[in-house]
Amino acid sequence: LVKRTRFNAAKRLERKHAASQIAFAFAAVLTMVIPQSTLYFGANMAPHTRSVIEYYTYVASSLALVFGLIEQARGYDAIARQFNDCGRQVNAVLRRLRSRSAPTQAELDAFVLEYERALDICQHNHDPTDFERAVLEEESRALQSQLRDLTGLGGRETRDALESAIAEKRKKKAVL
């Protein structure tokens, strides 16, 4: 679950970074387009209207700059990279551990040290939603495997049956 949680956190932060970049770009475009209207249509505007539009353009430009700087300072992309690197290193440790049929205590201790080093790479902790999503993904995989074993269905049929089982489980949780 640790590996999946870290990857979920990386994906969430990458999406957050992309969304903030799009919002900043949109705000920048608006702060360029609105002043153009006063240039093109200024002769047909009342002087007070033109002054109000120019004032709000300056305010919006300042807010867009501040928003962009704050979002950039949060470093979502760098944190996402840390989570991704951590998840990859945890995955590598788990693969090596699984490849051993009967590891000795010394090997287990080495794996634990390596695992802890992998977790230390990421200076941030994931959000609870990342863990909850990993748990749901794990349950989904387990249900899908059970359905495959019980029904012998594959592909689309398994996915449809799985979605129905998950919907039932969510209904039961909602009732509680």
Side-chain angles (χ1 to χ4, degrees), residues 15-173:
R15 287 190 301 266
K16 200 175 219 181
H17 175 70
S20 68
Q21 294 287 57
I22 289 169
F24 181 65
F26 184 71
V29 167
L30 282 178
T31 58
M32 289 187 298
V33 169
I34 292 174
Q36 295 299 318
S37 67
T38 60
L39 290 174
Y40 295 127
F41 307 112
N44 298 332
M45 290 182 185
H48 178 70
T49 303
R50 184 178 179 161
S51 295
V52 168
I53 289 174
E54 288 173 350
Y55 172 76
Y56 281 114
T57 299
Y58 295 133
V59 170
S61 298
S62 300
L63 290 175
L65 176 63
V66 169
F67 169 75
L69 291 173
I70 288 171
E71 287 300 300
Q72 190 66 25
R74 290 184 178 166
Y76 294 131
D77 54 339
I79 298 169
R81 259 191 315 277
Q82 285 180 352
F83 276 124
N84 189 53
D85 292 346
C86 177
R88 290 179 55 196
Q89 288 191 3
V90 167
N91 191 32
V93 171
L94 290 174
R95 272 187 278 128
R96 282 198 305 283
L97 179 60
R98 288 181 186 140
S99 71
R100 305 267 195 226
S101 58
T104 65
Q105 187 61 41
E107 289 175 324
L108 286 175
D109 291 342
F111 282 124
V112 167
L113 268 172
E114 193 174 347
Y115 175 80
E116 288 174 356
R117 267 184 271 149
L119 291 180
D120 287 341
I121 287 173
C122 194
Q123 301 159 354
H124 305 278
N125 202 1
H126 56 78
D127 284 354
T129 55
D130 300 319
F131 178 73
E132 291 165 6
R133 183 175 179 160
V135 169
L136 287 174
E137 288 172 352
E138 186 65 29
E139 289 175 358
S140 172
R141 284 188 177 93
L143 283 173
Q144 190 172 14
S145 176
Q146 288 174 356
L147 281 171
R148 241 185 259 126
D149 292 345
L150 291 173
T151 63
L153 300 175
R156 177 108 183 150
E157 297 91 1
T158 302
R159 187 173 57 240
D160 292 342
L162 174 64
E163 287 173 357
S164 139
I166 289 173
E168 282 298 316
K169 189 170 185 173
R170 285 183 180 154
K171 284 180 189 176
K172 287 180 184 176
K173 281 186 179 179

